């Protein structure tokens, strides 16, 4: 458990000073382990306490972990396709590779890919920005979504709307929760149960910038916001 890790005082002091100054805080991971989770938890706790909303810890911490897992899997998928000499851009190769990917990979195998992610130049960047009236969480990959991935993400956003709680989701999907988009559903349900609009969660993908960014943007004051788009996936 992350609570068992005693973080270096220097790290804690740096985070506390940065939050006092209102600075944006980022951390980069390849495969996040227990120490990384402890650091993430401390960063989020410090930020949420600074804006007087420690009650949002479960929303942000669980959402961050789900989005980090999704981002890590997306990077490892590209490595596995390369190892199998499959063209991830080819639809036939993609379907073939995905069958192997889904059956062979689980989170227990993530650490074996840490060095491979570094060698391949893949990373996951987590950024927290905040003000007295808003807290934003970003989880970024340094590559864009493939067209087939974008279509499936869009389907998962639509599918997530059917569920008011995770019990309903697990009852319907049983052991096949991963392929059904548990991460997206989890974040939406957490937002909804915390009293927020599900559309505060969105995903942006840019071929030009070579990145995919999952965002959770939570307003802390009941201010009148501009009309939000019904879209949650944006691809350029």
């Amino acid at each position: 458990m992350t609570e068992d890790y005693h973080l270096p005082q220097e790290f804690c002091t740096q985070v506390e000073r940065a939050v006092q100054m209102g600075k944006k805080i980022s951390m980069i991971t390849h495969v996040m382990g227990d120490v990384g989770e402890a650091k993430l938890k401390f960063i989020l706790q410090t930020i949420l306490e600074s804006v007087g909303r420690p009650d949002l810890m479960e929303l942000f911490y669980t959402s961050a972990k789900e989005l980090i897992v999704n981002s890590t899997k997306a990077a490892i998928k590209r490595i596995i396709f390369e190892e199998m000499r499959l063209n991830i851009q080819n639809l036939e190769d993609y379907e073939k590779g995905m069958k192997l990917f889904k059956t062979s990979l689980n989170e227990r195998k993530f650490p074996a890919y840490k060095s491979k992610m570094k060698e391949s130049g893949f990373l996951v960047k987590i950024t927290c920005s905040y003000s007295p009236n808003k807290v934003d969480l970003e989880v970024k990959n340094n590559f864009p979504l493939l067209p087939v991935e974008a279509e499936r993400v869009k389907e998962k956003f639509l599918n997530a709307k059917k569920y008011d709680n995770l019990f309903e989701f697990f009852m319907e999907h049983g052991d096949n929760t991963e392929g059904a988009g548990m991460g997206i559903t989890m974040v939406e349900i957490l937002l909804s149960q915390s009293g927020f609009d599900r559309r505060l969660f969105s995903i942006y993908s840019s071929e030009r910038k070579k990145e995919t960014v999952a965002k959770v943007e939570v307003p802390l004051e009941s201010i009148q916001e501009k009309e939000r788009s019904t879209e949650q996936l944006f691809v350029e």
Side-chain angles (χ1 to χ4, degrees):
M1 297 292 290
T2 55
E3 288 84 357
D4 297 333
Y5 283 88
H6 182 70
L7 294 172
Q9 185 57 48
E10 183 182 2
F11 170 82
C12 297
T13 301
Q14 286 178 337
V15 170
E16 288 166 349
R17 285 177 179 167
V19 171
Q20 286 173 2
M21 297 171 70
K23 288 186 175 181
K24 184 184 296 185
I25 299 179
S26 296
M27 61 185 291
I28 290 173
T29 183
H30 296 90
V31 173
M32 182 169 279
D34 291 338
V35 174
E37 286 189 9
K39 288 182 175 181
L40 173 66
K41 190 171 191 176
F42 182 79
I43 289 168
L44 289 171
Q45 281 178 333
T46 306
I47 288 171
L48 292 173
E49 286 171 7
S50 78
V51 296
R53 293 303 303 267
D55 57 301
L56 296 179
M57 185 63 188
E58 182 185 0
L59 165 61
F60 277 102
Y61 183 57
T62 306
S63 295
K65 289 205 299 181
E66 287 295 323
L67 296 174
I68 291 165
V69 166
N70 282 359
S71 296
T72 303
K73 283 183 176 176
I76 293 174
K77 176 166 70 178
R78 283 154 173 77
I79 294 169
I80 289 176
F81 270 66
E82 187 70 28
E83 290 176 340
M84 293 190 297
R85 302 190 187 285
L86 292 173
N87 179 5
I88 201 167
Q89 301 282 351
N90 177 281
L91 194 55
E92 188 176 330
D93 275 6
Y94 184 83
E95 297 296 342
K96 180 181 176 182
M98 282 304 294
K99 287 178 183 176
L100 296 168
F101 176 72
K102 288 176 181 177
T103 56
S104 66
L105 185 70
N106 57 49
E107 288 182 50
R108 291 190 299 276
K109 295 182 180 178
F110 276 20
Y113 284 92
K114 187 169 187 173
S115 61
K116 292 180 181 180
M117 278 187 66
K118 289 181 180 179
E119 290 165 11
S120 300
F122 294 133
L123 56 83
V124 178
K125 183 176 182 180
I126 305 101
T127 301
C128 302
S129 54
Y130 48 96
S131 69
N133 57 19
K134 192 180 183 189
V135 176
D136 292 347
L137 168 72
E138 288 188 1
V139 178
K140 181 188 297 185
N141 278 126
N142 56 344
F143 50 82
L145 291 172
L146 300 166
V148 66
E149 290 175 320
E151 283 302 313
R152 291 185 180 181
V153 167
K154 190 179 293 185
E155 289 171 9
K156 289 171 182 177
F157 270 125
L158 289 172
N159 192 54
K161 304 293 182 289
K162 298 191 299 185
Y163 306 102
D164 292 320
N165 56 67
L166 284 175
F167 177 73
E168 292 177 0
F169 183 79
F170 283 115
M171 285 297 290
E172 181 167 334
H173 295 284
D175 293 331
N176 189 36
T177 56
E178 185 51 47
M182 186 181 76
I184 285 175
T185 304
M186 173 87 79
V187 176
E188 287 214 3
I189 288 172
L190 284 167
L191 277 167
S192 180
Q193 291 183 340
S194 299
F196 297 108
D197 191 323
R198 292 176 180 232
R199 292 172 298 170
L200 295 171
F201 171 39
S202 56
I203 295 176
Y204 296 77
S205 176
S206 171
E207 181 68 41
R208 179 175 57 85
K209 294 181 180 179
K210 303 297 182 191
E211 66 180 26
T212 302
V213 186
K215 292 185 176 183
V216 180
E217 305 170 279
V218 175
L220 302 180
E221 295 180 355
S222 55
I223 53 176
Q224 187 67 36
E225 289 195 74
K226 62 181 180 181
E227 190 70 24
R228 295 193 68 88
S229 168
T230 56
E231 293 295 324
Q232 287 173 273
L233 173 65
F234 303 87
V235 179
E236 68 170 40

